[in-house]
Amino acid sequence: PSARRSVTIASSTPPTSSPPSSAREPAYTREGMTPEKAESELDDCRKNVRLVKHMVEAMEKAGCAINRDFFKVDRCDQPVLGGFRPDAGVVICHNNISCRTDMENMLTHELVHAYDHCRNKNMNWLDLKQHACSEIRASNLSGDCHWVNEFFRGSLNVRNGHQKCVRRRAVLSTAMNPACESKAHAVEAVDAVFQTCFNDHRPFEDIP
């Protein structure tokens, strides 16, 4: 990826390319869920949350069917909600997820990354433009930038608020890529692909 969002999460045995993950923004300081609570919420989201179910079905249609083992609840040291690891699936950081909205948005966000990895057989997460494109899509399509989430972050942008949120969060996530040299480098990558990737709503027909 979450009312917080999805950026890069490090694994104990890093994959060949750096995965995207869901980072918290500073406004969120609440306690996380217990592992048991996170497991329960995960199972309920997979069964009952429309966007999560749609992404799981889209993965299957794209030739990358996933099951319960694709999702792992873990304790994370980084301030992230979760992440997608190309070699392992979606990691859910129970200690950083404090509410159901966080879980729903994070799962949808990370499944957009998984979907992009599935449909692009040459996906290279260390290519900043490819990573930025997936971050733009994930923030745009997951609910990360719903106005309610932005309100609780203290962001009250009215004019083009959704686009500004997507851009801001994509820059934050892309900047966590090991191949990114600076925030300016992340901004350059996001700017280069923003319009094309913002308008790519697959596997939805429009922004959900």
Side-chain angles (χ1 to χ4, degrees):
S2 37
R4 318 169 196 176
R5 91 163 165 177
S6 291
V7 298
T8 307
I9 187 171
S11 62
S12 54
T13 54
T16 54
S17 58
S18 177
S21 66
S22 299
R24 297 192 302 175
E25 292 194 285
Y28 291 88
T29 57
R30 296 166 292 174
E31 292 298 318
M33 294 181 179
T34 63
E36 296 77 15
K37 175 65 172 175
E39 295 278 5
S40 174
E41 293 287 2
L42 167 61
D43 289 338
D44 191 68
C45 285
R46 291 179 62 241
K47 293 177 184 175
N48 297 313
V49 176
R50 179 179 63 87
L51 296 186
V52 174
K53 290 170 61 179
H54 184 83
M55 290 306 308
V56 170
E57 291 167 3
M59 289 283 289
E60 183 173 4
K61 290 177 182 177
C64 299
I66 58 176
N67 57 27
R68 180 60 170 78
D69 293 337
F70 189 76
F71 303 89
K72 180 183 179 184
V73 172
D74 205 351
R75 182 174 185 84
C76 303
D77 294 329
Q78 289 182 284
V80 296
L81 297 181
F84 166 63
R85 295 172 180 163
D87 60 346
V90 171
V91 177
I92 296 113
C93 300
H94 71 84
N95 55 305
N96 292 329
I97 297 176
S98 59
C99 66
R100 173 62 174 247
T101 301
D102 283 356
M103 177 73 80
E104 293 181 9
N105 290 357
M106 181 275 298
L107 288 173
T108 306
H109 186 123
E110 302 309 335
L111 285 169
V112 171
H113 290 317
Y115 177 79
D116 287 349
H117 188 77
C118 173
R119 68 187 178 124
N120 183 357
K121 304 307 179 185
N122 297 312
M123 189 72 176
N124 176 8
W125 292 104
L126 291 177
D127 182 315
L128 287 195
K129 289 183 180 178
Q130 290 189 42
H131 183 187
C133 184
S134 191
E135 292 295 352
I136 291 163
R137 283 175 30 75
S139 291
N140 190 28
L141 302 175
S142 64
D144 283 350
C145 288
H146 190 281
W147 71 268
V148 173
N149 294 334
E150 281 290 86
F151 175 81
F152 282 110
R153 294 181 189 119
S155 180
L156 301 177
N157 287 316
V158 176
R159 185 177 178 83
N160 297 322
H162 181 78
Q163 287 198 30
K164 290 176 180 177
C165 171
V166 170
R167 186 183 296 274
R168 183 188 78 242
R169 293 171 71 77
V171 167
L172 178 61
S173 295
T174 304
M176 295 180 73
N177 190 309
C180 186
E181 299 171 358
S182 64
K183 181 179 178 180
H185 196 193
V187 169
E188 181 182 358
V190 169
D191 285 349
V193 299
F194 187 83
Q195 211 56 52
T196 297
C197 300
F198 184 82
N199 290 328
D200 181 358
H201 303 142
R202 291 174 289 179
F204 302 97
E205 293 185 3
D206 205 339
I207 299 173

